[in-house]
């Protein structure tokens, strides 16, 4: 079945360490997104990529980095510069413009930094 | 700029009674609007979308929403709640270019037996 796979489901790190969250899709979608979810704040866009080897900052990109070397993969690195990294991170993809094509989401990675 | 306000952070209903989740939006153009549902520790799933066709949109699992331009609203309804409907619901607006989504803060629906 086609879909989006995020791994790991739960991740624990010490403060000051970088950590990379994996996101893989086999839907042949061009666009991929990373969102951060905090209680009561909905989803906030971190980075998005509409095509391989290109990506754009979202609303809260500071302290994060991404790469898009392959169409299927869009890993997110949470760096030590991110002030409050503990959150639920969701990866999504879409086939074309968001007004016409809905987002398909992975099941998320819950990151806890202590 | 666009924004979305979900008027209730929590809604509690009894099984078998109607559901109403309220959403107001602001946008400087004709928006596309979506409702997504999220079950605990899962990703979001599309319930329904409005893209300037019929103003009453039917979605999955018996949900529907009505686009009211004069009221800038896109409320989600269901005639009869089921226990499996308990989840968090997000109202979402897309910009005119279709490149950016703005999410509401979410409404947690609780269904009592």
């Amino acid at each position: 079945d086609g879909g989006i796979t995020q791994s790991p489901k739960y991740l624990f790190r010490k403060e000051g360490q970088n950590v990379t969250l994996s996101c893989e899709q086999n839907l042949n979608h061009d666009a991929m997104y990373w969102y951060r979810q905090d209680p009561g704040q909905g989803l906030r866009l971190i980075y998005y990529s509409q095509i391989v080897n290109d990506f754009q900052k979202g609303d809260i990109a500071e302290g994060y980095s991404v790469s898009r070397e392959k169409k299927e993969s869009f890993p997110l690195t949470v760096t030590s510069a991110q002030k409050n990294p503990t959150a639920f991170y969701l990866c999504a993809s879409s086939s074309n413009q968001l007004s016409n094509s809905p987002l398909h989401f992975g099941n998320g990675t819950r990151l806890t930094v202590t | 700029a666009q924004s979305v306000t979900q008027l209730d952070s929590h809604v509690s209903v009894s099984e078998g009674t109607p559901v109403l989740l309220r959403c107001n939006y602001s946008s400087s153009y004709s928006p596309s609007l979506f409702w997504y549902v999220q079950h605990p520790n899962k990703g979001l799933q599309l319930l329904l979308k409005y893209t300037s066709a019929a103003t009453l949109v039917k979605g999955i699992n018996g949900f529907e929403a009505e686009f009211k331009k004069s009221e800038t609203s896109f409320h989600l309804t269901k005639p009869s709640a089921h226990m499996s409907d308990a989840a968090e619901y997000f109202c979402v607006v897309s910009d005119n270019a279709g490149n950016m989504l703005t999410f509401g803060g979410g409404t947690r629906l609780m269904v009592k037996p």
Side-chain angles (χ1 to χ4, degrees):
Chain A
D1 287 335
I4 298 181
T5 301
Q6 289 187 244
S7 61
K9 189 174 177 67
Y10 298 95
L11 191 55
F12 298 87
R13 280 293 182 271
K14 294 288 189 186
E15 195 173 315
Q17 293 178 332
N18 291 356
V19 60
T20 297
L21 282 59
S22 169
C23 177
E24 303 280 331
Q25 55 103 354
N26 61 4
L27 298 167
N28 200 33
H29 285 170
D30 287 316
M32 297 187 74
Y33 309 81
W34 274 106
Y35 287 91
R36 172 183 170 134
Q37 185 176 19
D38 297 282
Q41 296 193 45
L43 274 66
R44 292 181 289 167
L45 183 64
I46 304 172
Y47 269 98
Y48 66 101
S49 167
Q50 293 180 305
I51 197 169
V52 175
N53 292 322
D54 186 53
F55 48 83
Q56 309 293 331
K57 291 182 179 180
D59 300 320
I60 56 165
E62 186 175 348
Y64 299 98
S65 65
V66 294
S67 62
R68 186 86 187 276
E69 297 176 1
K70 298 185 300 181
K71 188 175 185 178
E72 305 79 29
S73 179
F74 191 41
L76 173 75
T77 296
V78 184
T79 76
S80 56
Q82 167 52 231
K83 297 284 189 289
N84 185 20
T86 294
F88 190 51
Y89 291 88
L90 286 162
C91 179
S93 70
S94 69
S95 58
N96 53 34
Q97 281 191 340
L98 290 174
S99 59
N100 296 319
S101 173
L103 287 173
H104 294 257
F105 282 87
N107 283 330
T109 292
R110 188 167 296 280
L111 173 65
T112 302
V113 177
T114 57
Chain B
Q2 56 191 29
S3 67
V4 179
T5 302
Q6 292 183 240
L7 299 164
D8 307 292
S9 59
H10 293 81
V11 169
S12 180
V13 300
S14 297
E15 191 174 20
T17 64
V19 175
L20 170 64
L21 305 183
R22 299 183 295 165
C23 172
N24 286 103
Y25 70 92
S26 71
S27 176
S28 55
Y29 37 75
S30 295
S32 293
L33 293 157
F34 307 80
W35 275 98
Y36 283 84
V37 60
Q38 183 182 33
H39 288 91
N41 293 311
K42 298 288 188 184
L44 280 70
Q45 178 187 15
L46 180 69
L47 272 180
L48 50 83
K49 66 176 180 178
Y50 165 79
T51 54
S52 74
T55 57
L56 182 63
V57 182
K58 293 191 184 299
I60 63 172
N61 300 335
F63 283 94
E64 62 182 37
E66 186 171 8
F67 174 71
K68 292 187 177 180
K69 187 174 181 179
S70 60
E71 298 176 11
T72 62
S73 69
F74 190 57
H75 301 336
L76 182 70
T77 60
K78 183 174 180 178
S80 176
H82 191 272
M83 295 297 290
S84 60
D85 295 328
E88 188 149 23
Y89 293 79
F90 292 93
C91 182
V92 185
V93 61
S94 170
D95 72 351
N96 199 37
N99 292 326
M100 202 66 67
L101 297 181
T102 301
F103 284 76
T107 298
R108 184 166 298 279
L109 176 65
M110 293 167 282
V111 182
K112 298 175 289 187

